Amino acid sequence: MTAFAPNGPSTSEVYAMSISNEYLWVARGNRSEIWVGVYKEAEAYKFSYENWSSMARNNISALDTMRDIVSVAIDPANKEHVYLGSLAAGLIELNNGSFVNLWNEQNSSLQSRGDASFHWVGIYGMAYDFSGNLWVTNCYA
């Protein structure tokens, strides 16, 4: 018997997708009925030029403690520049498949849910406007 392992994500779990020309990004996270995360490992997948690549803790160590990627925004000026919205960690910035920055209440105008001792920054939605500005929804802020 011959085993066949197609090129693709390691899971069929998909919460959100974003597409720009030849790039399709898939966010794996999820949420509960009360709109909080369910602690899915922080993973996103990119499909381009007939190949899948994974952005997960095994190849981006900054994702080790993050969970629930629920949104993706592809920079219209640079298709390799991508933002991933997470529930709890904030906004993850990637460029060419590498971690650039984690944006949260400590280094941006994003707000944490609750008081300063409770670090929870949720980003459910993102979109670029025609001027190239990235807009995000910062839930529970």
Side-chain angles (χ1 to χ4, degrees), residues 84-119:
L84 306 174
S86 75
L87 298 183
L91 188 62
I92 302 156
E93 182 180 3
L94 303 174
N95 197 7
N96 292 320
S98 297
F99 178 80
V100 174
N101 204 354
L102 172 64
W103 299 97
N104 56 35
E105 80 284 4
Q106 297 171 355
N107 62 358
S108 71
S109 61
L110 295 171
Q111 296 178 18
S112 180
R113 176 183 184 183
D115 62 34
S117 66
F118 183 67
H119 170 77

Side-chain angles (χ1 to χ4, degrees), residues 21-36:
N21 296 327
E22 69 279 353
Y23 288 82
L24 168 67
W25 279 84
V26 177
R28 177 188 182 211
N30 208 338
R31 63 165 178 82
S32 72
E33 302 81 35
I34 59 170
W35 292 83
V36 294

Side-chain angles (χ1 to χ4, degrees), residues 3-85:
F4 178 71
N7 179 12
S10 62
T11 181
S12 62
E13 297 173 345
V14 174
Y15 186 82
M17 294 187 293
S18 183
I19 192 165
S20 179
N21 296 327
E22 69 279 353
Y23 288 82
L24 168 67
W25 279 84
V26 177
R28 177 188 182 211
N30 208 338
R31 63 165 178 82
S32 72
E33 302 81 35
I34 59 170
W35 292 83
V36 294
V38 295
Y39 303 104
K40 297 283 184 185
E41 289 183 15
E43 292 180 323
Y45 306 98
K46 178 177 79 169
F47 182 72
S48 63
Y49 304 106
E50 303 298 321
N51 287 303
W52 285 95
S53 55
S54 171
M55 308 306 146
R57 66 183 183 174
N58 64 335
N59 59 358
I60 300 177
S61 62
L63 299 180
D64 279 353
T65 59
M66 296 180 201
R67 301 285 183 260
D68 293 310
I69 307 270
V70 293
S71 57
V72 180
I74 304 168
D75 186 340
N78 176 0
K79 305 298 184 250
E80 294 293 337
H81 187 220
V82 175
Y83 288 92
L84 306 174

